[in-house]
Amino acid sequence: MNLSNAWNQYFLSLPGNEQGNRNMESFSLSMSSNQSMGARLKSLTEEVDSVIFIVDENKKVSVIHSLKNHGGTRTRPTNKNSCLIGLGPQAACVVLNESQAVLDCNIHTPTLDEIEECTTKEDVRALEPPGNLAPVTYEGSASFIPAPWLTE
C-alpha cells in the first residue's frame, strides 16, 4: 500500500498507471453512450482506485473517487453508492446520484488525436474548444473515467 497524505498523491503513485496510460481508449469506452446504464454504473464502481470526473447540478466538473456500492445483496437489494469528493486530505464522503452519473451526455471536445498529442496538463488546457457545429466527439455519460495521466 502506498502511504500518502493526500488522495492525489496516492492516485499518482499507483503501479498500474503506466499501463493505463497506454490504454486510454478503454477509459473512454467504459462510459460510452452505447453501454447500458447498468454497465456504466458497474464501470464507476468496479475499481476502487478510479478517479472520475463528474458534472454536478451546476454544470461544474468535480473529481470523485473511491466509489463503493453498499447494496445489491439479499439483505440490501437496493444499490446505494458512496464516494469521496475532492483529492486533498479533507475529501468528503457523499452519496452518488446514480441516475445523474450515468445520464447520456454528448459534447464537442478536441479530438482524441489532439488530446493524445498532449504531454502535460498545460497542453490539455491550451487546446481550443471546438464550436457547437463541430462533430460530437464524446458520446458518453455525465461521468468520465480519465486515463491516469489526466488526473494530474
Side-chain angles (χ1 to χ4, degrees):
M1 172 178 225
N2 299 324
L3 296 177
S4 303
N5 64 1
W7 284 104
N8 57 342
Q9 293 171 348
Y10 171 75
F11 288 119
L12 290 174
S13 67
L14 290 173
N17 284 352
E18 189 176 320
Q19 183 177 2
N21 288 334
R22 287 192 304 263
N23 192 13
M24 281 183 45
E25 188 175 24
S26 68
F27 290 89
S28 299
L29 295 178
S30 66
M31 299 299 287
S32 67
S33 59
N34 64 356
Q35 298 288 330
S36 69
M37 298 289 190
R40 289 186 219 171
L41 189 56
K42 183 179 179 199
S43 290
L44 286 178
T45 60
E46 71 183 346
E47 192 171 327
V48 72
D49 284 333
S50 288
V51 173
I52 298 152
F53 298 154
I54 191 164
V55 177
D56 66 17
E57 66 277 354
N58 298 318
K59 298 193 178 196
K60 301 272 186 201
V61 175
S62 296
V63 177
I64 63 173
H65 57 91
S66 307
L67 273 88
K68 173 76 174 145
N69 184 348
H70 301 279
T73 66
R74 287 186 302 278
T75 56
R76 291 186 181 169
T78 303
N79 289 309
K80 185 171 282 191
N81 293 287
S82 67
C83 61
L84 294 176
I85 187 165
L87 292 173
Q90 304 300 324
C93 185
V94 295
V95 174
L96 181 68
N97 181 336
E98 297 96 357
S99 60
Q100 287 293 119
V102 296
L103 277 178
D104 283 341
C105 178
N106 298 324
I107 59 176
H108 310 277
T109 67
T111 65
L112 184 57
D113 289 336
E114 291 171 316
I115 294 171
E116 284 181 331
E117 288 177 13
C118 296
T119 57
T120 66
K121 57 186 170 187
E122 289 78 19
D123 292 343
V124 175
R125 286 186 185 125
L127 290 173
E128 289 292 322
N132 287 338
L133 299 178
V136 171
T137 51
Y138 177 76
E139 293 182 16
S141 67
S143 304
F144 176 71
I145 303 173
W149 74 272
L150 281 171
T151 63
E152 294 179 23

